[in-house]
Amino acid sequence: MKKIFLFPYLFLLFASISCHKEIPSEKGGIDIISNIYFGASKGLNQLQSFHLSKLNYSGDSIVELVPDFTFPEINKQTYFIKDSLYFPLETENNTPLFSEISKKQKPNLIWNKKGGAIFSKEEIPNYRNRRNLSDTVLFKKKYKRFEIKSPWNYTRFYVYPTDTILPYSLYKHVEKDYHGRLERIDSYNKETDIFVTLQLIPRKNWDDSAKEIFDFNHFVKNRKSE
């Protein structure tokens, strides 16, 4: 009798663990965009939009394009990122080869990178005092929400439930707690009357310049293995 009752229990336990298994996305891109609204209490007409980063990834290799704020169609910096290291790339005269970058350049820790996508191991301030909100739908996607308040500002966080993980996340600890992807942060400062949104937008395709880099490296790798 004990075995009969134990089997369903083990099955449910295994199913529960399987439901939270993370599946790495193999290929794609991530856009990080911020909108800043000045005088937000009077309306959302005074807007400045910034394309902070264009991340393109293949497996655990990332090519990051950092757009120029004045001319977003121009990339002011390109980085190669792998694991916890990053390397600035010079792409004007030649296409960089991943296998040679670490030999020619001194590695830099991603935690020290200042431009483009910011990598951080820190937790959200006052995270323990967050308050869960009801789910909502934005752009035809359902999100879990929570907010953190203080006397001078409030911030709301939007998590898209999914088992598919990306090689970059805004706050990894949030994604583990809510079993999803943190895709949006809205913050309002009462003192400055400024409302800021930060969006992480996943996409399936690479940017053209990143595609050229990945295709070249894939070609060289295959040629060496023949």
Side-chain angles (χ1 to χ4, degrees), residues 24-148:
S25 178
E26 295 182 0
K27 171 186 174 183
I30 307 168
D31 290 310
I32 303 176
I33 297 174
S34 179
N35 293 321
I36 302 177
Y37 300 86
F38 300 93
S41 63
K42 301 174 184 177
L44 301 178
N45 298 320
Q46 297 186 48
L47 163 67
Q48 278 190 290
S49 184
F50 300 95
H51 200 154
L52 303 178
S53 174
K54 295 184 287 186
L55 295 164
N56 302 268
Y57 61 90
S58 177
D60 59 355
S61 297
I62 300 174
V63 172
E64 180 184 19
L65 310 174
V66 183
D68 187 287
F69 288 160
T70 306
F71 303 99
E73 64 278 4
I74 299 176
N75 299 314
K76 65 178 182 180
Q77 182 65 62
T78 303
Y79 296 109
F80 171 62
I81 302 170
K82 189 164 186 177
D83 299 325
S84 59
L85 303 175
Y86 80 93
F87 304 84
L89 299 181
E90 297 293 337
T91 59
E92 292 184 0
N93 299 323
N94 60 349
T95 304
L97 192 61
F98 295 156
S99 59
E100 297 296 323
I101 291 173
S102 59
K103 299 177 183 178
K104 297 179 180 179
Q105 294 189 45
K106 182 180 178 181
N108 304 281
L109 291 173
I110 56 174
W111 320 115
N112 299 328
K113 190 166 74 71
K114 304 300 181 183
I118 302 301
F119 291 77
S120 175
K121 293 185 288 187
E122 301 296 325
E123 285 197 355
I124 298 170
N126 207 26
Y127 180 68
R128 292 184 179 181
N129 296 322
R130 68 190 183 279
R131 183 172 72 93
N132 289 327
L133 303 173
S134 59
D135 295 350
T136 190
V137 176
L138 288 175
F139 310 111
K140 299 181 179 181
K141 295 173 71 173
K142 188 175 182 180
Y143 289 94
K144 297 178 181 179
R145 296 186 301 164
F146 66 90
E147 70 176 6
I148 298 175

Side-chain angles (χ1 to χ4, degrees), residues 15 19 21 29 40 58 79 81-82 100-101 114 136 151 171 175 177 194 198 200 210 218:
C19 288
K21 183 179 180 181
S58 177
Y79 296 109
I81 302 170
K82 189 164 186 177
E100 297 296 323
I101 291 173
K114 304 300 181 183
T136 190
Y171 288 101
E175 302 191 342
D177 290 344
I194 293 177
L198 181 65
L200 185 153
H218 183 70

